[in-house]
Amino acid sequence: MPAARAEISDLNDDAQAAHKRAYVKAMARLADAWGVTQTEIADLLCISAKQWSRIRQHPEQFRLNQDQLTRMSLLLGMFKSLNLVFSKPLADEWAKRVNTGALFGGQTPVQVMRAGGIPAMMDVRHHLDALRGGV
């Protein structure tokens, strides 16, 4: 019998609910700070805008799958990197600014990530990590 994988769903109900609330609250703050629409943040999380609205109102009633957790983690990492590299308001505006760099090709980072999903999010995250001196 294979060993059970420890996941967020293995936490006790109170801890799991607290994790969900924290992730959803952080994503809502990120969306507000970046000025992304409900549709844009839902697309970044690969869910419908209606589902995002329900999750935002009652996070404890929803199970966050590995895909959603990965997307949230990548976005929150970007948020942190942006705030380490740039001062306000650029840290918040960067994700919606047209970028002529090779990775972005004249689009905004949000547009690139919406179109490219997790691989594009990983590329943007690595780009930001490199800006702050990481690898």
Side-chain angles (χ1 to χ4, degrees), residues 14-29:
D14 290 340
Q16 186 180 30
H19 277 83
K20 285 188 221 179
R21 282 191 304 273
Y23 262 96
V24 171
K25 185 176 181 179
M27 289 308 304
R29 285 184 175 175

Side-chain angles (χ1 to χ4, degrees), residues 100-118:
T100 58
L103 177 60
F104 306 102
Q107 294 183 303
T108 70
V110 168
Q111 290 171 320
V112 169
M113 292 186 292
R114 286 175 72 192
I118 289 177

Side-chain angles (χ1 to χ4, degrees), residues 1 7 13 15 21 25 29 40 47 72 84-85 89 91-92 96 103 108 121 128-129:
M1 179 180 280
E7 295 185 20
D13 290 342
R21 282 191 304 273
K25 185 176 181 179
R29 285 184 175 175
E40 288 171 327
I47 59 177
M72 288 179 180
L84 289 171
V85 172
D92 291 338
K96 297 271 302 220
L103 177 60
T108 70
M121 290 176 163
L128 291 171
D129 288 346

